Amino acid sequence: MADVHMRTDAMSNPPSAASFQITRLSTVAGAAIEGLDLSQPIDDAVKDAILGAFRRHHVLAFRNQSLTDAQQYAFSENFGPLEEHVHRMRDGSKSPLVHLVTNLDADGQPTTTPHTHGNYYWHTDKSYHEIPSLATLLHAIILPPSGGDTQFANTRLAYDALPEEKKREIAGLRIVHSWEVSRRNTKNKPATKAEIRDRPPVTHPLVRTHPDTGEKTLYIGCHTSHIEGMPVEEGRALLQELLEHTEQPQFIYTHKWLPGDLVMWDNRCLLHRAVA
């Protein structure tokens, strides 16, 4: 998979907004988009149509794409500046802005212990940033013969389903998000000194308001450390309770990848994880 993260913040015959079809995949999240060639530039009308579908469906699967890293980069830039990943490569260098997500070992063989396996845990990308990600775009290049699905949990639906008493209990709480703690939570190799320096802990509201829709969402996942002003173990128990609530089947869309899928998802209202 080729992965790129984005921050919130000329061709003669470009695709038009009328040239592609959007098909809903699930009532939880998810829509397939067919009829677009993302290797070519898009115009403002197409971009606006994509953003409208993104707000409605949260997960967009652009079918039948064949993209170089540069083309994936160029398409992603339509929606905001791209951002680095704090995680270092095996040689200590920073990950490129478009980087591979793989279950292959150094010899190119499938392994149950890849270099990093945090993607198997529920998370929202870059929540340990002061300004978290708007979206992530993941391109299916080589797929396994079976399995390898990606699950998305709708944290707006999960929040809405909470009892009113629980909503009052968590209103105003703030969570510490930390790359260093995330590495411990996912039983990965510890964060390096350089990574800790680059990404110190940050705090975000436990109940986050989606900036586009105004809806309330739960901002949780494996990047979280503890709740400010609450005993650590008590806060972590509350976070685990909310995570178990959010991962119920009625809040989950499971994306079964097709070759060439480019999937773009909204980090502001979704948790996700890979199915090993």
Side-chain angles (χ1 to χ4, degrees):
M1 299 281 194
D3 187 23
V4 64
H5 300 271
M6 299 164 26
R7 281 181 25 198
T8 46
D9 250 349
M11 116 189 227
S12 57
N13 295 298
S16 70
S19 66
F20 62 92
Q21 301 78 45
I22 302 174
T23 304
R24 190 169 195 159
L25 296 172
S26 164
T27 57
V28 171
I33 295 183
E34 298 179 276
L36 276 180
D37 178 3
L38 301 183
S39 69
Q40 303 299 320
I42 61 173
D43 62 20
D44 288 343
V46 171
K47 182 176 77 171
D48 289 345
I50 290 172
L51 285 172
F54 183 69
R55 286 190 291 269
R56 287 192 301 276
H57 301 293
H58 313 311
V59 179
L60 301 181
F62 299 88
R63 301 296 197 191
N64 301 309
Q65 303 301 317
S66 179
L67 304 175
T68 64
D69 286 3
Q71 290 166 339
Q72 184 171 345
Y73 185 107
F75 174 69
S76 302
E77 275 197 307
N78 284 289
F79 310 104
L82 277 59
E83 62 192 8
E84 292 181 336
H85 200 297
V86 67
H87 184 239
R88 295 301 204 272
M89 307 294 283
R90 284 188 174 92
D91 62 4
S93 63
K94 289 188 175 181
S95 297
L97 289 176
V98 180
H99 55 269
L100 290 179
V101 179
T102 179
N103 68 339
L104 302 182
D105 63 19
D107 297 322
Q109 299 301 313
T111 176
T112 58
T113 56
H115 179 52
T116 182
H117 51 266
N119 55 327
Y120 296 147
Y121 295 78
W122 287 111
H123 64 286
T124 177
D125 286 332
K126 308 295 183 59
S127 67
Y128 47 82
H129 284 207
E130 185 176 357
I131 302 175
S133 290
L134 164 67
T136 301
L137 294 93
L138 190 59
H139 183 212
I141 299 172
I142 300 174
L143 296 175
S146 62
D149 301 338
T150 300
Q151 293 186 312
F152 298 92
N154 188 317
T155 62
R156 191 270 299 174
L157 294 178
Y159 174 82
D160 286 349
L162 287 173
E164 291 303 316
E165 181 180 357
K166 181 62 69 174
K167 291 179 182 177
R168 289 192 294 270
E169 176 188 345
I170 65 177
L173 295 179
R174 294 184 65 84
I175 312 178
V176 175
H177 295 245
S178 166
W179 171 253
E180 181 182 8
V181 172
S182 176
R183 299 296 286 177
R184 292 202 299 266
N185 289 345
T186 56
K187 302 176 179 62
N188 267 287
K189 293 179 180 178
T192 66
K193 291 181 179 179
E195 291 170 348
I196 295 170
R197 181 194 65 233
D198 289 347
R199 288 295 165 198
V202 298
T203 63
H204 296 297
L206 195 165
V207 180
R208 191 179 182 204
T209 300
H210 194 291
D212 288 345
T213 67
E215 297 169 330
K216 292 183 177 180
T217 68
L218 294 172
Y219 204 52
I220 54 179
C222 70
H223 299 325
T224 58
S225 172
H226 60 279
I227 296 175
E228 282 190 333
M230 185 178 291
V232 171
E233 292 308 316
E234 181 182 342
R236 291 182 69 81
L238 175 57
L239 293 174
Q240 182 62 30
E241 175 191 343
L242 293 171
L243 181 60
E244 291 174 0
H245 166 77
T246 302
E247 61 187 5
Q248 293 181 88
Q250 64 266 35
F251 306 133
I252 291 176
Y253 161 63
T254 299
H255 185 71
K256 297 185 180 301
W257 291 85
L258 297 179
D261 275 358
L262 177 74
V263 174
M264 172 179 175
W265 66 82
D266 191 339
N267 285 306
R268 302 165 299 178
C269 60
L270 297 170
L271 294 172
H272 66 279
R273 69 176 178 184
V275 179

